[in-house]
Amino acid sequence: MGIPDQRGRTVVVTGASSGLGQVVARELQKAGAHVIAAVRTPAKAAEFEAIPIDLDDLESVRAFAERLHADGRSIDVLVNNAGLGSHTRQLSAQGFERTFAVNFLGHFALTGLLLDLMRTDGRARIVHVGSNLYRRLKTGLPLDDLAAQRGYSKGRAYVASKLANLVFGTELDRRLQAAGSPVRSLTAHPGLAITPMNSDLPGRGARALMTVAQAAIGRPAPRAAIALLYAAVSPDARPGVFLGPHLRKSDDRVYADALVPPADDPVLAERLWTVAEAATGVRFALTPAGGTRPVTTTGV
């Protein structure tokens, strides 16, 4: 895709030290954007302005946001890209199941804490990265078991976190529009990306299955990142749909697919929002007529 001129714009990309995040950050930097790489290890993202953040520690998320506020930054695009899938049940610094904490709760908190830094010129966007596998999640979201005490599956935990991103991104846009904010919130997915995370699977059977799937429909990171870049900067990208490729691996077009259950459930969206606010201590303070104002937070 052709990326519009990004000179004078500032973009924050989580997980920009490798994989899809690195591709997105590089392409936007090539187009003239100033990229802030929100990463655990700044040395691995030295080609950008790298600021440390650990998304599974909400205090680290707060410190990152406080630094951007102290520096007087304005943000044009926030790409909530970072993700992981743990082989075994692990807990975040605050005691939440780590995959859900990093992929969703950390991004929920980060978005709320940075919302008042988003520009109000009508071009600012927040991009949430989901997965088309959400359609297969029949058990819903583990909102009453955020520590995964009643059982853990790497695949289920990962897909649940990506479904949460999709529900959150869609609900956030609804609330932004209701508040009269010019900031837009979009959701996108890369298809089956050929990245280290998707190749790092436990068991020979799982690795063999992934090898077959990647050969059939997998996309290298530069092509898998197209939908994320489209969501971030294309004037044609719109919220309320799921932006991404279809299965045919030779087709790099970005499709706008309608949301299907459970991603389009307003009751689930309300409950997810309430649970996330309680878990993170971050409140999205949206004013009915004036867009956004700084969020108010409580301790975590």
Side-chain angles (χ1 to χ4, degrees):
M1 63 170 286
I3 298 178
D5 188 351
Q6 298 297 300
R7 284 176 292 183
R9 308 190 82 208
T10 297
V11 180
V12 177
V13 182
T14 66
S17 60
S18 64
L20 295 172
Q22 186 178 65
V23 173
V24 169
R26 281 178 178 170
E27 292 301 315
L28 293 176
Q29 184 168 266
K30 287 178 186 177
H34 177 74
V35 174
I36 298 174
V39 294
R40 291 187 67 182
T41 309
K44 293 182 179 180
E47 61 194 290
F48 315 112
E49 179 189 3
I51 299 178
I53 188 172
D54 190 345
L55 286 163
D56 72 355
D57 184 348
L58 294 170
E59 292 301 331
S60 176
V61 175
R62 289 179 184 277
F64 178 92
E66 288 169 0
R67 176 166 172 177
L68 265 59
H69 278 85
D71 291 346
R73 301 303 185 96
S74 293
I75 302 171
D76 296 276
V77 180
L78 169 61
V79 182
N80 289 327
N81 160 81
L84 63 78
S86 300
H87 296 319
T88 59
R89 175 179 174 267
Q90 301 174 29
L91 298 181
S92 72
Q94 283 73 39
F96 306 118
E97 189 278 310
R98 190 164 177 248
T99 298
F100 198 75
V102 171
N103 297 1
F104 169 63
L105 290 174
H107 283 128
F108 179 93
L110 180 66
T111 301
L113 293 168
L114 296 183
L115 194 57
D116 64 306
L117 298 184
M118 302 296 295
R119 291 192 195 273
T120 57
D121 61 359
R123 300 172 62 203
R125 297 180 183 182
I126 302 166
V127 179
H128 313 263
V129 181
S131 168
N132 234 356
L133 292 174
Y134 84 88
R135 301 165 183 262
R136 299 185 180 182
L137 192 66
K138 306 301 183 184
T139 57
L141 292 173
L143 300 182
D144 59 349
D145 187 23
L146 295 186
Q149 293 177 312
R150 295 198 292 271
Y152 177 81
S153 158
K154 173 185 176 178
R156 185 169 63 247
Y158 177 79
V159 176
S161 70
K162 291 300 184 177
L163 170 60
N165 284 346
L166 178 52
V167 174
F168 165 49
T170 304
E171 176 66 8
L172 175 59
D173 193 75
R174 186 192 69 77
R175 295 186 182 214
L176 288 167
Q177 292 197 48
S181 171
V183 180
R184 293 279 68 83
S185 172
L186 296 88
T187 59
H189 72 93
L192 178 57
I194 302 175
T195 64
M197 187 179 75
N198 280 340
S199 300
D200 181 24
L201 297 174
R204 295 163 66 180
R207 288 193 295 271
L209 184 61
M210 179 57 71
T211 298
V212 172
Q214 288 182 339
I217 60 174
R219 298 168 188 271
R223 291 177 56 213
I226 290 174
L228 279 59
L229 287 163
Y230 179 88
V233 300
S234 172
D236 298 323
R238 58 189 176 90
V241 294
F242 202 21
L243 300 168
H246 283 180
L247 287 179
R248 189 155 57 92
K249 65 184 298 183
S250 61
D251 184 0
D252 284 335
R253 289 175 293 181
V254 178
Y255 294 84
D257 290 332
L259 300 176
V260 300
D264 61 348
D265 183 350
V267 175
L268 176 62
E270 289 285 347
R271 184 162 179 248
L272 175 66
W273 196 282
T274 299
V275 168
E277 282 191 335
T280 63
V282 174
R283 307 288 188 269
F284 285 64
L286 297 171
T287 59
T292 63
R293 58 183 172 82
V295 296
T296 57
T297 63
T298 61
V300 296

